[in-house]
Amino acid sequence: QMTMTDKFQYNDTIRAINQNRLLAFWATGTGKSYLLSAILAHLRFYGEIHKAIIFTSSIGVLNLPHELKKFIKNWDSDRVLVIGSITDLKKDQRLVFSQSNHDWDIVICTYDTFRAINDAYYESEYGKKPTKNTLKKCSIPLKEWFGDYRGIAFFDECHLMGTPESSKWKNLQLALPHFHYRYLFSATPVDKKENMYPILKTLDNSLVDGLPYKDWLASFCSIGTKYSAWAPDLSTWDDIKWAKLQDRLYKDYAVRRDKDLLNLPDAIDMDLIYVEMTKKHREIYQMFTLESINRMKEMSVKSGTSVVSNLSNCMQYAQLSIDNPLCLEQTFANSDKQFNPDLIQKVSKFDYKKDFAKLR
């Protein structure tokens, strides 16, 4: 007998595999990775697709491959390319969709990495990197890569695909025609109504009436405020028109699932208990955090991405050293990068029962 959780996951999976566009607005913990796995496994099994691109966050790059391996039967990790950053690849390896020595079935990368890969293809063709004005097409040979099958892209944490006027989004927009199947996932799709444009356009161009961003925005509100002649005047926003758009979105393309479906017990309201770290725990936390920050800075310099954005994406990763330093042992084992030997030694000597003060 199905639980309530199983039922909504089952129903939404059935809906997803019967339409080629879906936004899964699922709360954290409700199983977005499970839904993604189910769609991918089903469409591959029935020959609708073969190769796939999965866009995700820098944390998702670390976690998602393990989730897919857990959920999908006969998952072949050797056919999957996982790229955390373009800097993980040597310059002659960045044309990842054209490698004759290894034809990948699935590519998992961040949105910034995909942009950098497209830049690498552009540079190989024109001898220079593109600018926002010269970027007119997707240089990646996606049509050839997908071959005789339909193209598919999964947009995990789709709120990270970029704001409507960002170069990251423009790069992704040029690739959209190659993706017949498009599935979007997020617990927090947008922080502002106007930033809904990339998600709507990814789902169906008709949701934005085929309009470029500024024209679409002008159809909902006046443009120009006392602060900027180009800023939207949100006080004039057409709420009735917006409500009609939301009705169509949720009728045809989107499904929302809140956390109360998990039937979790109510949180207990109690006073905070502050616990000092032990000396060994604090040393690990400080060393790992400092190393993570330095890596994010290096990544930002090499890839041209925001330091703040990279740091925000790595906060959950850095949290490992606080929640349980022993979790870092798996990080060390699975990472291609070299970690500080002193840090590795400190973690190996960490005694959870003695050195984790919160346990007491």
Side-chain angles (χ1 to χ4, degrees):
Q1 184 177 359
M2 285 189 178
T3 65
M4 181 63 72
T5 304
D6 296 330
K7 192 172 182 179
F8 85 77
Q9 290 178 344
Y10 176 83
N11 289 340
D12 290 353
T13 300
I14 295 300
R15 177 178 176 181
I17 61 180
N18 281 284
Q19 59 187 72
N20 66 327
R21 312 283 171 88
L22 185 77
L23 166 61
F25 181 8
W26 283 17
T28 302
T30 48
K32 291 184 290 295
S33 298
Y34 179 81
L35 177 60
L36 190 157
S37 301
I39 297 169
L40 177 59
H42 179 93
L43 293 178
R44 292 191 82 192
F45 181 82
Y46 284 100
E48 290 295 315
I49 61 155
H50 182 61
K51 296 184 178 181
I53 301 177
I54 302 175
F55 301 103
T56 186
S57 65
S58 55
I59 295 298
V61 166
L62 297 172
N63 296 333
L64 198 53
H66 301 292
E67 295 290 295
L68 297 176
K69 184 177 181 180
K70 179 171 64 178
F71 292 131
I72 298 179
K73 186 178 180 180
N74 299 324
W75 176 259
D76 187 356
S77 298
D78 292 335
R79 304 291 298 166
V80 181
L81 176 63
V82 182
I83 320 170
S85 167
I86 194 67
T87 56
D88 294 342
L89 303 173
K90 295 179 181 178
K91 198 166 185 179
D92 60 349
Q93 297 176 327
R94 295 179 181 180
L95 307 183
V96 299
F97 295 91
S98 309
Q99 290 185 4
S100 57
N101 61 332
H102 206 138
D103 186 17
W104 307 103
D105 288 342
I106 295 174
V107 174
I108 302 175
C109 65
T110 67
Y111 296 93
D112 282 316
T113 298
F114 185 75
R115 180 186 63 181
I117 292 172
N118 189 58
D119 288 352
Y121 273 97
Y122 185 97
E123 189 173 5
S124 71
E125 184 176 355
Y126 297 103
K128 59 183 179 180
K129 291 185 177 181
T131 65
K132 195 172 182 179
N133 294 326
T134 60
L135 191 62
K136 304 295 184 183
K137 67 173 184 176
C138 178
S139 298
I140 302 173
L142 291 174
K143 182 179 179 180
E144 292 76 11
W145 188 69
F146 285 122
D148 295 332
Y149 294 87
R150 285 175 165 169
I152 184 171
F154 295 94
F155 302 85
D156 185 35
E157 306 292 359
C158 62
H159 54 278
L160 299 177
M161 66 171 63
T163 55
E165 296 187 295
S166 67
S167 57
K168 179 166 60 174
W169 158 244
K170 183 177 181 181
N171 174 82
L172 196 61
Q173 176 182 313
L174 295 172
L176 287 181
H178 297 289
F179 307 136
H180 175 77
Y181 289 99
R182 306 173 194 173
Y183 298 101
L184 288 69
F185 308 84
S186 181
T188 53
V190 287
D191 56 346
K192 300 177 182 177
K193 291 177 181 177
E194 58 267 34
N195 287 340
M196 193 72 182
Y197 179 85
I199 289 176
L200 294 171
K201 188 171 178 65
T202 299
L203 287 168
D204 189 335
N205 195 38
S206 70
L207 288 171
V208 295
D209 297 324
L211 297 172
Y213 170 63
K214 289 184 178 178
D215 292 341
W216 174 81
L217 189 58
S219 71
F220 281 94
C221 65
S222 301
I223 303 298
T225 66
K226 65 179 181 180
Y227 302 105
S228 169
W230 304 106
D233 183 358
L234 299 181
S235 66
T236 65
W237 192 268
D238 190 337
D239 290 320
I240 295 177
K241 185 177 180 180
W242 180 254
K244 290 180 179 178
L245 175 60
Q246 295 301 297
D247 286 343
R248 184 188 170 198
L249 174 66
Y250 281 93
K251 178 184 177 183
D252 297 335
Y253 297 99
V255 59
R256 177 172 182 158
R257 302 296 183 183
D258 295 320
K259 206 158 189 173
D260 57 8
L261 286 167
L262 298 176
N263 296 320
L264 297 173
D266 292 334
I268 300 173
D269 188 12
M270 59 182 292
D271 294 334
L272 293 175
I273 302 173
Y274 293 94
V275 181
E276 274 292 325
M277 287 182 175
T278 60
K279 183 180 178 182
K280 289 184 178 180
H281 193 174
R282 183 169 294 281
E283 287 175 349
I284 292 172
Y285 162 63
Q286 290 175 335
M287 291 180 70
F288 183 70
T289 302
L290 181 61
E291 188 159 336
S292 297
I293 290 173
N294 288 335
R295 290 190 182 199
M296 293 304 109
K297 288 180 178 179
E298 292 175 6
M299 182 189 301
S300 298
V301 171
K302 291 178 181 179
S303 63
T305 54
S306 163
V307 177
V308 174
S309 174
N310 287 328
L311 286 173
S312 298
N313 289 333
C314 89
M315 287 305 293
Q316 289 174 291
Y317 178 60
Q319 185 82 10
L320 289 173
S321 59
I322 300 176
D323 292 339
N324 184 355
L326 296 179
C327 290
L328 296 177
E329 290 183 323
Q330 186 176 358
T331 299
F332 299 152
N334 293 335
S335 177
D336 295 331
K337 294 182 168 61
Q338 293 296 318
F339 283 86
N340 186 329
D342 290 338
L343 172 60
I344 296 175
Q345 186 178 35
K346 286 182 184 296
V347 172
S348 67
K349 292 183 176 180
F350 186 82
D351 188 322
Y352 188 75
K353 292 182 179 180
K354 294 179 180 179
D355 302 326
F356 191 64
K358 186 177 176 182
L359 187 62
R360 295 195 296 273

